[in-house]
Amino acid sequence: MLRYSTRHPTARIDLLILPEVSVPHAWATFITRWAREHQIGVVCGLEHRIDRSGNAWNELLAALPYRAPNGTKACVPVLRLKRHYSPYETFVLDNNSLTVADRPNKSLYQLIQWRGASFALYNCYELTSLVDRSLFKARVDFIVASEYNPDVSYFSNIVESAARDLHCFVVQVNSADFGDSRVVSPAPTEKQKNSPLRIKGGDNQTFLTMELPLKRLRDHQRLGYGLQKDSKEFKPTPPDFSPTQVLRRINLGNS
């Protein structure tokens, strides 16, 4: 990835996203240090951390670098415990004499505003909760779905629905074991079928890049239906889509 950035300096990457449970938990500090040094954000699922009581912690790490006013490189690590373990995940843990770590009753999802973008993170099975994925309607430019998920058809329907319900981009990153890593936009039906970025599995480790047109999405969301309806890039915004939240995102500046 660093070689790619060196060869293509104008295509520098802002955010690297990896699948659920893809990085050893012991690497969390290294990942944060790496993000700070190279000023590239990282979102990754950490492998289960087992505590002394046999609780298995499935956590998602976001390492978000920035430069302090004096120019010093810094990084904020955001670590969140998975809110909804899948039934199969719980089954596997139970059969290995492990338990699901205690989770807070109240949702603790974070709305992240970083480098002019507003986004939220979901850890695989969390995205199946209609209530949870509706929390950030109009508040985000994109959501990230970090997954280790064999049921790609089910999640394909969910991310396509989420892109339109929230009217945002959905960046789905799944393990190469199962594939269907993709970027989905709130586009008209025919355009959404042809995702601008999509990959189906593979044996080789690779990464794909895409620049999200956040300014064009925000500009579209500011318009009324009369000016939205003829767009070939985005669908009209759904009911109860708050223009106030759109202006707040615009005030973050261009990402």
Side-chain angles (χ1 to χ4, degrees), residues 44-61:
C44 61
L46 301 177
E47 292 180 349
H48 292 89
R49 175 171 62 87
I50 311 301
D51 64 21
R52 293 181 178 178
S53 300
N55 298 313
W57 295 66
N58 183 338
E59 295 171 305
L60 195 63
L61 171 68

Side-chain angles (χ1 to χ4, degrees), residues 26 52 56 90 98 130 171 180 209:
R52 293 181 178 178
T90 303
L98 300 172
L130 177 61
V171 183
D180 207 32
T209 64

Side-chain angles (χ1 to χ4, degrees), residues 15-33:
L15 191 62
L16 171 67
I17 303 169
L18 300 172
E20 181 190 21
V21 295
S22 62
V23 175
H25 198 279
W27 289 13
T29 301
F30 164 76
I31 292 288
T32 302
R33 190 182 306 129

Side-chain angles (χ1 to χ4, degrees), residues 16-248:
L16 171 67
I17 303 169
L18 300 172
E20 181 190 21
V21 295
S22 62
V23 175
H25 198 279
W27 289 13
T29 301
F30 164 76
I31 292 288
T32 302
R33 190 182 306 129
W34 185 92
R36 180 190 64 197
E37 180 61 27
H38 298 287
Q39 291 291 292
I40 297 175
V42 179
V43 174
C44 61
L46 301 177
E47 292 180 349
H48 292 89
R49 175 171 62 87
I50 311 301
D51 64 21
R52 293 181 178 178
S53 300
N55 298 313
W57 295 66
N58 183 338
E59 295 171 305
L60 195 63
L61 171 68
L64 304 172
Y66 66 98
R67 282 190 180 272
N70 63 0
T72 304
K73 293 179 179 177
C75 184
V76 175
V78 180
L79 195 63
R80 185 172 66 78
L81 176 65
K82 190 177 186 180
R83 176 168 163 74
H84 299 296
Y85 285 49
S86 75
Y88 181 73
E89 184 179 11
T90 303
F91 168 81
V92 171
L93 294 175
D94 287 344
N95 280 270
N96 285 278
S97 302
L98 300 172
T99 56
V100 173
D102 288 337
R103 292 150 294 173
N105 293 326
K106 192 173 181 180
S107 174
L108 291 176
Y109 294 97
Q110 295 107 350
L111 175 64
I112 297 174
Q113 294 177 335
W114 178 73
R115 292 187 178 174
S118 180
F119 60 97
L121 310 176
Y122 289 87
N123 194 350
C124 201
Y125 194 69
E126 292 173 337
L127 205 60
T128 65
S129 169
L130 177 61
V131 173
D132 288 9
R133 68 173 184 263
S134 67
L135 291 172
F136 300 106
K137 182 178 182 180
R139 298 174 182 271
V140 292
D141 299 303
F142 64 92
I143 62 173
V144 172
S146 177
E147 302 173 6
Y148 184 73
N149 170 46
D151 195 351
V152 295
S153 296
Y154 177 37
F155 272 66
S156 179
N157 292 331
I158 287 176
V159 297
E160 290 175 3
S161 174
R164 290 179 171 175
D165 294 343
L166 304 180
H167 209 274
C168 69
F169 292 96
V170 180
V171 183
Q172 176 178 252
V173 179
N174 199 7
S175 168
D177 298 343
F178 311 117
D180 207 32
S181 293
R182 60 192 299 203
V183 175
V184 183
S185 68
T189 301
E190 290 304 317
K191 188 177 178 69
Q192 193 178 57
K193 285 180 180 177
N194 300 310
S195 298
L197 180 66
R198 190 171 192 177
I199 186 169
K200 289 182 175 295
D203 295 328
N204 299 323
Q205 299 299 318
T206 185
F207 74 94
L208 303 174
T209 64
M210 179 181 172
E211 182 176 357
L212 300 181
L214 303 188
K215 184 179 185 305
R216 291 208 302 272
L217 177 66
R218 293 170 177 175
D219 288 344
H220 175 82
Q221 292 170 341
R222 292 184 64 183
L223 304 175
Y225 174 76
L227 295 176
Q228 288 182 340
K229 64 182 179 63
D230 295 326
S231 171
K232 298 185 184 307
E233 186 172 21
F234 301 115
K235 292 278 287 184
T237 50
D240 300 322
F241 194 84
S242 170
T244 302
Q245 295 298 335
V246 177
L247 291 176
R248 287 179 179 173

